[in-house]
């Protein structure tokens, strides 16, 4: 069983994807982490994330980089959004994601183009979202809990900028697949959102937890 979980930044898609993977006993891939690794490697190479050639050369990052805590930094998320607009970068990472999705037994993948590009044949597709203001509130609270001092207006502006880049890029833009179920987590607790996601998957597949 393949489950695709798409949505904008701070929508809760990563939390939901991990919960679904645990519920169904499936491996999970945060595809955004691959783009974060490319963005961060570009920075380590003293390159420019807005230049396709610099970003493409960073696609050769070592696997060990995926475990670097720096990939979770807010600044790294911004770099990921910038490198992901380059078609050459998306092509370089495409097969890695497809192979993960098509492994024996299935998988859960979260990202921005899983249901539309990486695994259009997924058995269940979710598009997880919330308002920009709610997503900024969550991200601001998360950053504050980690001791990162930043004002809400700055976080909200970054959310809007990322949404514009992700939805407006020519190659594999962020969009809801025509056969994906919409899950708005704006007014939901984490537990409620996870339970709703499980219900949506079961309605699509008839599968319950292993």
């Amino acid at each position: 069983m393949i489950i695709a979980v798409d949505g904008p930044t701070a929508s809760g898609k990563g939390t939901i994807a991990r919960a679904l993977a645990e519920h169904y006993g499936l491996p999970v891939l945060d595809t955004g982490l691959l783009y974060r690794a490319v963005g961060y490697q570009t920075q380590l190479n003293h390159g420019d994330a807005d230049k396709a050639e610099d970003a493409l050369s960073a696609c050769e990052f070592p696997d060990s980089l995926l475990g670097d805590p720096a990939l979770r930094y807010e600044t790294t998320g911004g770099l990921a959004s910038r490198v992901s607009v380059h078609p050459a970068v998306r092509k370089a990472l495409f097969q890695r994601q497809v192979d993960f999705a098509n492994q024996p037994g299935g998988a859960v993948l979260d990202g921005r183009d899983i249901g539309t590009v990486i695994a259009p044949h997924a058995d269940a597709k979710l598009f997880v979202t919330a308002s920009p203001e709610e997503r900024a509130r969550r991200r601001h609270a998360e950053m504050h809990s980690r001791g990162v001092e930043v004002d809400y207006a700055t976080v909200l502006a970054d959310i809007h900028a990322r949404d514009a880049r992700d939805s407006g890029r020519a190659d594999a833009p962020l969009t809801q697949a025509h056969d994906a179920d919409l899950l708005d987590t704006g007014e939901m607790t984490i537990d409620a959102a996870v339970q709703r996601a499980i219900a949506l998957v079961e309605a699509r597949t008839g599968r319950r937890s292993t």
Side-chain angles (χ1 to χ4, degrees):
M1 179 170 65
I2 302 172
I3 303 174
V5 184
D6 289 307
T9 187
S11 61
K13 66 182 184 296
T15 299
I16 288 171
R18 290 190 296 272
L20 287 171
E22 182 177 357
H23 184 77
Y24 290 106
L26 295 170
V28 61
L29 175 64
D30 174 2
T31 63
L33 203 61
L34 301 179
Y35 290 95
R36 283 173 174 262
V38 172
Y40 191 60
Q41 186 65 53
T42 301
Q43 185 179 68
L44 293 177
N45 294 346
H46 304 290
D48 183 345
D50 296 319
K51 291 184 178 180
E53 60 270 24
D54 289 357
L56 182 59
S57 66
C59 288
E60 299 299 320
F61 63 84
D63 287 343
S64 59
L65 187 62
L66 293 173
D68 194 321
L71 265 57
R72 298 295 181 181
Y73 293 170
E74 193 68 12
T75 52
T76 307
L79 290 170
S81 182
R82 289 163 61 192
V83 300
S84 68
V85 305
H86 305 305
V89 170
R90 305 196 71 81
K91 182 178 180 180
L93 298 179
F94 175 80
Q95 195 60 47
R96 189 171 187 168
Q97 298 172 72
V98 170
D99 289 344
F100 189 92
N102 293 330
Q103 64 184 289
V108 180
L109 294 87
D110 87 78
R112 288 167 173 76
D113 63 349
I114 307 305
T116 55
V117 176
I118 302 301
H121 58 299
D123 301 283
K125 301 177 185 179
L126 301 178
F127 190 84
V128 184
T129 190
S131 70
E133 292 75 17
E134 172 61 20
R135 290 186 283 124
R137 185 195 65 75
R138 294 174 183 174
R139 184 53 55 84
H140 182 259
E142 175 194 348
M143 295 173 70
H144 184 73
S145 70
R146 291 191 278 111
V148 180
E149 294 300 325
V150 61
D151 63 272
Y152 170 82
T154 299
V155 177
L156 180 59
D158 182 61
I159 290 284
H160 280 302
R162 289 198 208 181
D163 286 353
R165 281 196 299 265
D166 294 340
S167 300
R169 65 186 178 225
D171 186 55
L174 167 66
T175 186
Q176 181 179 346
H178 70 89
D179 53 350
D181 291 306
L182 181 66
L183 177 54
D184 190 327
T185 64
E187 301 296 326
M188 291 183 172
T189 63
I190 293 174
D191 287 344
V194 168
Q195 290 306 310
R196 178 58 179 159
I198 291 171
L200 290 170
V201 171
E202 289 182 353
R204 286 280 182 176
T205 65
R207 282 275 301 270
R208 296 186 177 274
S209 58
T210 57

